[in-house]
Amino acid sequence: MTIKTSNFLFYSGLLLLATGAFGLTFAAFFAIIGLPVFIVGIILILISKKAGKQKIVPIGLFVIVIIAYWPIWTNINTVEPETFLIPNDYRGRVNIIYKKDCGILLEKTDNGLTYKIPNDGILLLSNEQKYGFINHKYYLVDKEGKKTELPKMDIRDFNEDHTLEKKPNEPPRNTLGVFHWGRTGSIGKMTDQNGEVSNKDNLYTFNEFYISTYNDLKEKFNFRYDQKFDSIRNMKIKKCK
């Protein structure tokens, strides 16, 4: 290998290292491509004829930067802990509505935010909804204030006729838990011919989940149930204006 070829491989590798590192840190959406690019950069540097120290130092520095970056980035983008307290006998859908000048304002404590869900499952808040990695805990609370933590469930863990790869450790279908936890959404804005938002009073975002068993989720909390729930929610929001 000539010196010219070695230099070409080395500096091309450095360029790919930098590009890949950028994709793995500041441009997370580029991470899928960034990792292969980063690996190719390492290979080019290693096969060049540069001295061992010249190879190891840049590779090591980029690796250290990436390893140090991810915990910091994760911490910055993690929402404060959130605790949801649900009436002991409540079953069904829960909506937390975030709407300006509507509902109560939750104050953050050392333990994060605590959401006390009312008996109808619809909590109206004037807080701004935060997004990021979540840390949620869900509890049923009886009349004496005793809390029972609910497990977070995933419908993908259950087998159906259309399931191609059957799960050998399917959870019991009568286990009470929280389904669709972490689901968020928003009521979109409408603009008039001048580009002005024409439905400001109707804008809101929401977080929702279901307190249910898997069997009840399929049998009781269906389209008709959701229609009735939406009607109650919409009326409650309308009265809040």
Side-chain angles (χ1 to χ4, degrees), residues 113-124:
L113 292 172
T114 299
Y115 301 83
K116 296 182 179 179
I117 307 302
N119 292 327
D120 61 4
I122 303 166
L123 178 62
L124 302 181

Side-chain angles (χ1 to χ4, degrees), residues 150-167:
L150 290 169
K152 288 179 280 191
M153 312 289 283
D154 191 330
I155 60 173
R156 293 171 296 184
D157 292 334
F158 295 86
N159 295 314
E160 294 295 346
D161 293 338
H162 58 267
T163 305
L164 297 179
E165 294 185 15
K166 301 298 183 182
K167 283 79 173 179

